[in-house]
Amino acid sequence: MAVGTSNYWEDLRKQARQLENELDLKLVSFSKLCTSYSHSSARDGRRDSSDTTPLLNGSSQDRMFETMAIEIEQLLARLTGVNDKMAEYTNSAGVPSLNAALMHTLQRHRDILQDYTHEFHKTKANFVAIRERENLMGSVRKDIESYKSGSGVNNRRTELFLKEHDHLRNSDRLIEETISIAMATKENMTSQRGMLKSIQSKMNTLANRFPAVNSLIQRVNLRKRRDSLILGGVIGVCTILLLLYAFH
């Protein structure tokens, strides 16, 4: 019976790892698609050509986006189901020590699922925002081109307006890059803070578990504090003697 349940747990872990690997690859491709869409839209905005090619390119990328989003959502749903099965198994396990190890493994897979879900929604939201902005810019660009072709005037004011439009697009891109860097830095600092809290918690647990170690640490801290006071007193006396010597 134990062998059968152990095999069931290992099968669930293999399924979870396989789905996590597939999700990792899909999310990388999904992020590249979003980046390439942004770059191609920027190139299309700077290029003077007909509207046929950009529209076809955008439509193709939109279809790829929808297909990949559905595939990733399905993988996330399957991984959630596997995690739920693993949770049911840990609740039914009878050995406390074994149950603690299984809960640690389950929590790790849940964290991975949460990270992948957050990354997917973030990338999807960025893609949608870029697409909506490019559609808006494309509409503005068409209006400008329609005005130019209808009036037949290529005056200085129109050129200045187009240059200002390009400047705004470049400023928007730089702001997005700065925000992305700031968000990445924040996430990194949050992760480091979590690691430090975990280390501190483990040290406190270890100190509470071993009173002799805790007592030794307190004595070391007392001795360090005493040495610091002695050193500070010696430095103060030496400083006073030097000042007396200097003024006499």
Side-chain angles (χ1 to χ4, degrees):
M1 183 65 182
V3 175
T5 56
S6 176
N7 291 335
Y8 178 70
W9 174 258
E10 290 300 326
D11 290 339
L12 290 176
R13 287 193 61 188
K14 288 180 182 179
Q15 294 178 26
R17 286 195 294 266
Q18 182 179 359
L19 290 172
E20 288 168 358
N21 291 333
E22 292 181 10
L23 276 169
D24 186 61
L25 295 176
K26 289 288 185 182
L27 288 172
V28 171
S29 301
F30 197 59
S31 178
K32 289 182 178 178
L33 176 63
C34 180
T35 304
S36 64
Y37 184 89
S38 176
H39 290 171
S40 63
S41 298
R43 288 194 300 269
D44 293 338
R46 292 192 299 266
R47 186 172 55 210
D48 292 328
S49 61
S50 64
D51 295 335
T52 304
T53 302
L55 288 174
L56 290 175
N57 187 26
S59 177
S60 176
Q61 288 183 325
D62 288 343
R63 288 194 297 269
M64 291 178 61
F65 167 77
E66 297 295 339
T67 302
M68 293 184 67
I70 293 174
E71 292 176 353
I72 293 174
E73 289 175 349
Q74 292 175 350
L75 289 173
L76 289 172
R78 290 171 57 189
L79 183 58
T80 301
V82 173
N83 284 348
D84 293 340
K85 292 180 180 179
M86 294 173 72
E88 293 177 359
Y89 178 81
T90 55
N91 292 330
S92 63
V95 182
S97 60
L98 176 62
N99 199 22
L102 297 182
M103 287 297 296
H104 176 74
T105 302
L106 174 61
Q107 185 60 41
R108 175 173 162 274
H109 286 291
R110 282 177 172 174
D111 292 340
I112 294 175
L113 173 61
Q114 184 178 3
D115 292 340
Y116 284 160
T117 304
H118 174 72
E119 182 179 355
F120 168 66
H121 289 301
K122 179 181 178 181
T123 305
K124 183 178 179 180
N126 290 338
F127 186 94
V128 172
I130 292 172
R131 184 172 59 185
E132 291 178 352
R133 186 179 69 249
E134 291 303 326
N135 290 337
L136 178 61
M137 293 298 181
S139 178
V140 173
R141 194 181 305 115
K142 288 180 181 179
D143 292 340
I144 295 173
E145 293 295 332
S146 176
Y147 171 77
K148 289 175 63 178
S149 60
S151 61
V153 178
N154 189 12
N155 52 22
R156 180 65 177 171
R157 181 177 298 177
T158 303
E159 292 178 358
L160 292 175
F161 179 79
L162 292 175
K163 289 181 179 180
E164 186 65 22
H165 174 67
D166 290 336
H167 290 325
L168 291 175
R169 286 172 56 86
N170 292 332
S171 299
D172 187 38
R173 178 177 56 82
L174 292 175
I175 292 173
E176 287 183 352
E177 292 178 356
T178 304
I179 293 174
S180 299
I181 294 173
M183 291 296 294
T185 304
K186 179 183 176 183
E187 292 177 358
N188 190 14
M189 293 181 66
T190 303
S191 176
Q192 292 180 3
R193 183 177 62 183
M195 291 176 62
L196 291 176
K197 286 184 177 179
S198 177
I199 293 173
Q200 183 180 4
S201 177
K202 291 180 180 179
M203 291 295 294
N204 293 333
T205 302
L206 182 63
N208 294 329
R209 186 175 297 176
F210 299 101
V213 175
N214 190 17
S215 177
L216 179 60
I217 292 174
Q218 291 179 356
R219 282 186 289 176
V220 170
N221 290 332
L222 289 175
R223 181 167 295 181
K224 288 175 62 178
R225 191 178 294 111
R226 185 191 63 186
D227 293 342
S228 298
L229 291 175
I230 293 173
L231 182 60
V234 172
I235 293 174
V237 171
C238 291
T239 303
I240 293 172
L241 292 176
L242 287 174
L243 290 175
L244 292 173
Y245 178 77
F247 287 103
H248 288 79

